[in-house]
């Protein structure tokens, strides 16, 4: 079970780092996509920092379980809010990525809780 926890946590952490890097780039398509769901460009760095903290917490949580549980729980909340933002903005075309990440975060949380 721990191997599954490690695989899901590291995979999710890698995706979060890529996502945070895109946010930190402030490239026009990224800024435009977030503006569509009501996120101003000035908040992208904060969102990137949250994702990087989540990635660090997931990986560190493989050593210290409470940190992994806290990080995965926070990421579930983050992606629930992301899904809600896309639904509220009627942006169903871009709903896939936050839904997939929500499922991965929930899996990471369930696995971390299930391992001793």
């Amino acid at each position: 079970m721990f191997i599954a926890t490690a695989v899901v946590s590291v995979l999710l952490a890698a995706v979060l780092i890529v996502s945070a890097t895109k946010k930190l780039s402030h490239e026009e398509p990224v800024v435009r996509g977030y503006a569509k769901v009501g996120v101003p460009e000035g908040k992208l760095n904060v969102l990137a920092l949250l994702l990087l903290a989540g990635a660090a917490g997931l990986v560190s949580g493989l050593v210290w379980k409470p940190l992994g549980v806290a990080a995965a729980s926070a990421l579930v909340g983050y992606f629930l809010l992301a899904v809600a933002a896309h639904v509220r903005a009627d942006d169903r075309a871009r709903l896939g990525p936050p839904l997939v990440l929500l499922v991965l975060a929930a899996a990471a949380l369930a696995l971390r809780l299930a391992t001793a």
Side-chain angles (χ1 to χ4, degrees):
M1 186 74 81
F2 180 77
I3 292 173
T5 303
V7 168
V8 170
S9 295
V10 170
L11 173 66
L12 180 55
V15 173
L16 295 176
I17 291 168
V18 170
S19 180
T21 302
K22 289 179 89 171
K23 286 172 182 58
L24 290 171
S25 75
H26 291 268
E27 292 176 354
E28 183 57 34
V30 175
V31 172
R32 195 171 41 247
Y34 281 94
K36 184 171 183 175
V37 294
V39 178
E41 183 176 3
K43 298 293 182 189
L44 291 180
N45 290 348
V46 173
L47 295 179
L49 181 62
L50 291 172
L51 293 179
L52 292 172
L58 285 172
V59 173
S60 299
L62 294 172
V63 176
W64 189 43
K65 183 179 177 176
L67 182 57
V69 170
S73 298
L75 288 167
V76 167
Y78 178 99
F79 289 112
L80 278 172
L81 291 172
V83 167
H86 284 275
V87 169
R88 184 190 70 230
D90 198 30
D91 186 27
R92 287 173 178 46
R94 293 189 186 127
L95 191 55
L99 275 174
V100 169
L101 291 170
L102 173 59
V103 169
L104 275 174
L109 176 59
L111 287 166
R112 187 68 271 196
L113 288 170
T115 57

